Amino acid sequence: MSNKLPKISNKHKICIICEGNEEYEYLERLKDLKVWNDQYDIFLVNAGGNGNIPARYQDRFQNGADEVVLVFCDTEKKPYEQYEDIKRKINDFHGIDSAADEVIMFGNPCTMQIISKHWTDKNLKSPAKLVNAPLIKEYTGVENYKGRTDQIRSVMEYITAENYVNMKQRMNGLEMDDAIIGSSNFGKFIELLESDDSKWIEDINNNI
């Protein structure tokens, strides 16, 4: 019986800390659709809530297994206390006031703001599931959306490689200031994850 050596991957290892189930399932869906450059090996961590993000980020960063660690979360509603706390803790961890801006992918007011761009130009005004449920039903048929795991997975079936292209175009029209309702910088990170040039990883690490 021959000993098989483990395969060594030459891909760039990227970890994304996801706030919760919506963020995790959405990025998992995009990974399955293979819309990003194949040179990136992306590992997702479900933080299980925004309060857990800083600790998960620090643990993963200090682990040293990844070339870069990113965060995917939403801002919720003003005054964005928990979101600002995440940014502050990441900045404190690195000792740099702008570190969080380099690694956080955000949707204001919520991640559904990004997901819904696969189907519509409408900007969400509230993070409340009750408020956004009619829009989700209109485009996916999922009734009374409350963010349950089974509902999230049903919504993800309506995310396709084709409407991913539409989402990218719509993201270009959004503000990237996280204090503005209806904003997101997800489009910027999409370009990086699609890029043939991996120098952006080095650039982020140099800036934190």
Side-chain angles (χ1 to χ4, degrees):
M1 191 170 144
S2 60
N3 291 326
K4 289 188 176 179
L5 293 172
K7 289 183 179 179
I8 298 174
S9 172
N10 292 323
K11 294 185 178 184
H12 298 284
K13 293 189 179 302
I14 298 169
C15 177
I16 304 177
I17 310 296
C18 302
E19 176 179 329
N21 293 339
E22 261 187 3
E23 291 78 13
Y24 181 88
E25 295 289 348
Y26 177 54
L27 295 190
E28 190 67 43
R29 177 64 171 174
L30 295 185
K31 279 182 61 181
D32 289 345
L33 293 174
K34 301 187 186 306
V35 291
W36 294 330
N37 196 297
D38 189 51
Q39 71 171 317
Y40 304 119
D41 182 11
I42 298 170
F43 183 79
L44 305 177
V45 173
N46 188 339
N50 54 16
N52 300 325
I53 289 174
R56 296 284 190 279
Y57 176 85
Q58 292 177 29
D59 287 347
R60 196 74 195 189
F61 188 90
Q62 290 174 326
N63 177 273
D66 313 291
E67 289 181 54
V68 68
V69 182
L70 306 175
V71 171
F72 185 36
C73 65
D74 54 31
T75 64
E76 286 290 335
K77 56 184 180 292
K78 288 183 178 180
Y80 313 131
E81 288 176 355
Q82 291 175 307
Y83 174 71
E84 290 295 337
D85 191 52
I86 292 167
K87 290 173 66 175
R88 180 183 58 78
K89 287 178 178 176
I90 290 176
N91 289 340
D92 288 349
F93 173 68
H94 289 291
I96 297 172
D97 288 342
S98 59
D101 295 331
E102 296 287 336
V103 300
I104 291 181
M105 300 181 276
F106 72 87
N108 180 333
C110 57
T111 304
M112 191 54 68
Q113 168 76 12
I114 297 167
I115 296 171
S116 66
K117 291 300 179 196
H118 284 263
W119 317 298
T120 178
D121 287 313
K122 293 178 184 175
N123 277 352
L124 305 187
K125 305 296 184 187
S126 168
K129 301 285 194 296
L130 183 65
V131 173
N132 297 324
L135 180 140
I136 295 168
K137 181 185 176 184
E138 179 181 352
Y139 291 101
T140 69
V142 174
E143 300 260 5
N144 194 25
Y145 184 78
K146 295 180 179 177
R148 297 196 317 264
T149 299
D150 62 311
Q151 291 179 318
I152 294 170
R153 288 178 179 167
S154 294
V155 167
M156 291 308 129
E157 293 176 10
Y158 291 85
I159 302 289
T160 66
E162 289 74 27
N163 60 36
Y164 169 82
V165 175
N166 299 332
M167 179 272 294
K168 284 201 304 177
Q169 293 172 341
R170 290 174 176 134
M171 293 303 296
N172 289 336
L174 295 185
E175 297 280 353
M176 290 200 292
D177 182 339
D178 58 11
I180 296 175
I181 295 173
S183 65
S184 177
N185 65 349
F186 191 60
K188 178 183 80 170
F189 284 92
I190 284 173
E191 290 182 9
L192 299 179
L193 293 168
E194 290 181 350
S195 176
D196 290 326
D197 185 355
S198 62
K199 186 178 179 295
W200 63 269
I201 295 175
E202 181 184 343
D203 291 341
I204 287 177
N205 286 319
N206 286 340
N207 289 335
I208 60 176

